[in-house]
């Protein structure tokens, strides 16, 4: 590797103190340094050349690092080339210029790479803008009133960061995006205008319901008023929303009126429950006494008289808790039913027609048994086993019926 020529190789100092720099086979004057020795004058202009060398190194580094775009890099190389060739400096100016030549090739390569990157970026931008337009158009037909505005803002902010496409394509996509956003905005305004109208109507309806509730609040007709409040609640739900804050305020008022009524009802019912429990205890004791004295029924007249006295005293005791009413009433009806059944039996026992029918039934069964016995004797004489078995079974059946009929007749004659 050859040694770098000494700076003095590239310049000289004339007898009159003028300093010259050599470039190719020519030389040109670069200036004088007053009151300086030739060595000092030459060193002064050599330092200028060193400064140029630093600029060359720095520019080469920036180009290699991609710190400058190709146009800036070309312009910088050309300016520095001119500065070197025209510089009032002593040094290897020709070598410095030669170092800039490879930079041109590098810049061309970088320019090509940037063109490819830009093309890819434009392709990606086109794809993304197509996607964004599709999103905007889908959103335009949706009912996403809560987050739709922010979604459009986000899309618009992103749109601004993307590179522009060719004018026709970019304008066409922007028109679709803008149209979609406008459509959504108009629909949203119309929706909220309608919603505001509905909410106003709902507010008026609920104010009317509150007025009706206030008129009911002091009623003591507990059942009918509770049903009326349930109807008001159903109408309240059907009225729709009046806006969150308005709804909360209206509901607080309505609920307070309901609470006032139901609190009074609960207080009254609590007092009634205490009274009803006392009645239940008394009625249970009275019922137990009646059951022990009347049941089982042996004397219908006496039992019916005792039952009437019991019912009169029982009804005078007042109401019992609703969940106990069915059980208590069932026991009362059981006593009454027992008396009625005993009365029916007594009537059946003392009725002449009933005894006559019972006697006739006994005679009928007895006669039939005698006939069957005669048939059995004939079958036995013939040795007809099948007829014997059939007739024997019939006799047994009629005998059971005869026994039951005789028992009934005996009961009626007792």
């Amino acid at each position: 590797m050859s040694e770098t020529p000494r700076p003095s190789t590239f310049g000289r100092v004339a007898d009159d103190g003028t300093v010259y720099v050599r470039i190719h086979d020519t030389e040109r004057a670069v200036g004088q340094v007053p009151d300086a020795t030739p060595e000092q004058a030459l060193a002064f202009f050599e330092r200028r050349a060193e400064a140029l060398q630093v600029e060359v190194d720095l520019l080469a580094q920036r180009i290699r690092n991609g710190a400058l775009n190709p146009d800036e890099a070309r312009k910088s190389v050309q300016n520095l080339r001119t500065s070197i060739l025209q510089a009032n400096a002593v040094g290897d100016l020709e070598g410095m210029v030669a170092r800039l030549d490879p930079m041109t090739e590098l810049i061309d390569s970088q320019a090509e790479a940037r063109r490819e990157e830009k093309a890819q970026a434009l392709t990606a931008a086109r794809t993304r803008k197509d996607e964004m337009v599709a999103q905007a158009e889908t959103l335009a037909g949706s009912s996403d009133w809560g987050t739709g505005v922010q979604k459009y803002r986000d899309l618009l902010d992103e749109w601004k960061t993307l590179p522009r496409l060719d004018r026709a394509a970019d304008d066409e996509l922007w028109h679709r995006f803008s149209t979609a956003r406008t459509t959504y905005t108009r629909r949203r305004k119309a929706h909220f205008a309608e919603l505001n109208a509905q909410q106003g109507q709902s507010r008026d309806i609920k104010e009317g319901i509150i007025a009706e509730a206030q008129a009911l609040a002091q009623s003591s007709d507990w059942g009918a008023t509770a049903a009326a409040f349930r109807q008001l609640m159903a109408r309240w739900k059907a009225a729709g929303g009046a806006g969150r804050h308005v709804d909360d305020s209206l509901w607080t008022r309505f609920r307070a009126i309901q609470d006032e009524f139901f609190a009074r009802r609960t207080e009254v019912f609590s007092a009634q429950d205490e009274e009803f429990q006392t009645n239940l205890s008394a009625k249970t004791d009275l019922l137990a006494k009646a059951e022990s004295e009347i049941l089982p029924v042996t004397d219908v007249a006496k039992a019916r008289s005792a039952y009437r006295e019991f019912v009169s005293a029982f009804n005078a005791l007042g109401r019992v808790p609703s969940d106990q009413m069915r059980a208590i009433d069932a026991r009362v009806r059981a006593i009454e039913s027992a008396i009625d059944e005993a009365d029916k039996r007594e009537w059946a026992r003392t009725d002449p027609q009933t005894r006559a029918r019972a006697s006739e039934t006994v005679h009928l069964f007895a006669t039939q048994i005698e006939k069957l016995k005669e048939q059995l004797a004939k079958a036995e004489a013939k040795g007809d086993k099948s007829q014997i078995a059939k007739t024997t079974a019939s006799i047994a059946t009629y005998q059971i019926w005869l026994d039951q009929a005789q028992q009934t007749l005996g009961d009626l004659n007792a």
Side-chain angles (χ1 to χ4, degrees), residues 157-404:
D157 289 342
E158 183 182 355
W159 188 285
K160 293 176 181 178
T161 65
L162 297 175
R164 283 184 58 83
L165 311 177
D166 62 90
R167 182 172 181 176
D170 212 72
D171 288 350
E172 188 270 336
L173 288 173
W174 171 251
H175 176 73
R176 288 173 57 193
F177 179 85
S178 180
T179 299
R181 186 174 58 162
T182 300
T183 300
Y184 171 83
T185 301
R186 289 175 180 170
R187 290 182 61 245
R188 185 173 184 273
K189 288 181 178 179
H191 165 76
F192 281 108
E194 181 180 358
L195 181 62
N196 288 336
Q198 291 175 350
Q199 289 178 344
Q201 183 180 10
S202 174
R203 182 186 63 248
D204 294 341
I205 293 174
K206 289 182 177 180
E207 288 283 6
I209 292 174
I210 290 174
E212 293 182 47
Q214 288 173 333
L216 293 171
Q218 300 304 316
S219 172
S220 297
D221 187 357
W222 309 117
T225 306
F229 269 112
R230 286 193 294 271
Q231 293 176 355
L232 290 180
M233 178 62 75
R235 287 167 53 195
W236 184 282
K237 293 178 180 179
R244 180 175 179 181
H245 297 296
V246 175
D247 260 337
D248 289 346
S249 175
L250 292 173
W251 173 250
T252 298
R253 292 165 56 195
F254 181 51
R255 183 60 182 270
I257 296 170
Q258 291 186 87
D259 289 346
E260 178 186 355
F261 167 77
F262 286 107
R264 289 195 307 107
R265 189 184 73 160
T266 299
E267 183 178 353
V268 171
F269 281 9
S270 295
Q272 287 181 348
D273 286 344
E274 184 176 353
E275 177 187 349
F276 290 174
Q277 285 293 339
T278 301
N279 294 343
L280 175 63
S281 178
K283 282 192 171 185
T284 301
D285 293 343
L286 185 62
L287 183 56
K289 180 181 178 183
E291 289 171 336
S292 65
E293 292 178 351
I294 297 174
L295 301 179
V297 179
T298 56
D299 185 329
V300 174
K302 183 177 179 181
R304 196 171 292 283
S305 176
Y307 177 74
R308 284 194 294 269
E309 293 178 2
F310 157 72
V311 169
S312 177
F314 184 86
N315 291 336
L317 290 176
R319 298 177 61 184
V320 300
S322 58
D323 60 341
Q324 298 293 325
M325 290 178 61
R326 179 173 296 182
I328 291 294
D329 288 345
R331 292 174 63 183
V332 173
R333 287 195 300 273
I335 296 175
E336 184 179 17
S337 296
I339 295 172
D340 290 343
E341 289 297 323
D343 194 14
K344 290 178 181 178
R345 289 194 301 272
E346 179 65 17
W347 170 254
R349 188 180 68 80
T350 58
D351 182 18
Q353 291 183 355
T354 302
R355 287 200 301 272
R357 286 195 298 271
S359 178
E360 183 179 351
T361 300
V362 169
H363 176 72
L364 178 64
F365 288 158
T367 301
Q368 184 64 29
I369 290 174
E370 289 301 321
K371 290 180 180 180
L372 290 172
K373 287 181 177 179
E374 291 176 2
Q375 294 176 7
L376 177 62
K378 293 178 181 180
E380 289 174 342
K382 293 179 180 181
D384 189 345
K385 295 181 179 180
S386 175
Q387 186 63 36
I388 292 172
K390 181 178 179 181
T391 305
T392 301
S394 296
I395 292 173
T397 300
Y398 273 98
Q399 186 62 51
I400 293 173
W401 292 346
L402 175 61
D403 293 343
Q404 292 175 348

Side-chain angles (χ1 to χ4, degrees), residues 10 21-28 84-85 91 93-94:
F10 304 106
V21 62
R22 297 188 182 91
I23 300 178
H24 303 300
D25 296 330
T26 63
E27 64 178 12
R28 61 179 174 83
I84 292 171
L85 294 176
L93 302 184
E94 186 178 1

Side-chain angles (χ1 to χ4, degrees), residues 32-51:
Q32 294 180 329
V33 180
D35 301 325
T37 65
E39 290 76 9
Q40 291 172 337
L42 187 62
F44 174 79
F45 289 103
E46 286 176 344
R47 285 194 293 275
R48 286 189 174 182
E50 291 172 357

Side-chain angles (χ1 to χ4, degrees), residues 21-24 26-30 48-49 52-53 55-56 76-101:
V21 62
R22 297 188 182 91
I23 300 178
H24 303 300
T26 63
E27 64 178 12
R28 61 179 174 83
V30 295
R48 286 189 174 182
L52 286 172
Q53 182 63 51
E55 288 189 46
V56 171
S76 296
V77 168
Q78 184 59 39
N79 290 341
L80 185 54
R81 183 191 302 275
T82 301
S83 296
I84 292 171
L85 294 176
Q86 297 177 356
N88 291 328
V90 175
D92 187 8
L93 302 184
E94 186 178 1
M96 294 181 193
V97 172
R99 284 195 60 196
L100 294 176
D101 291 338

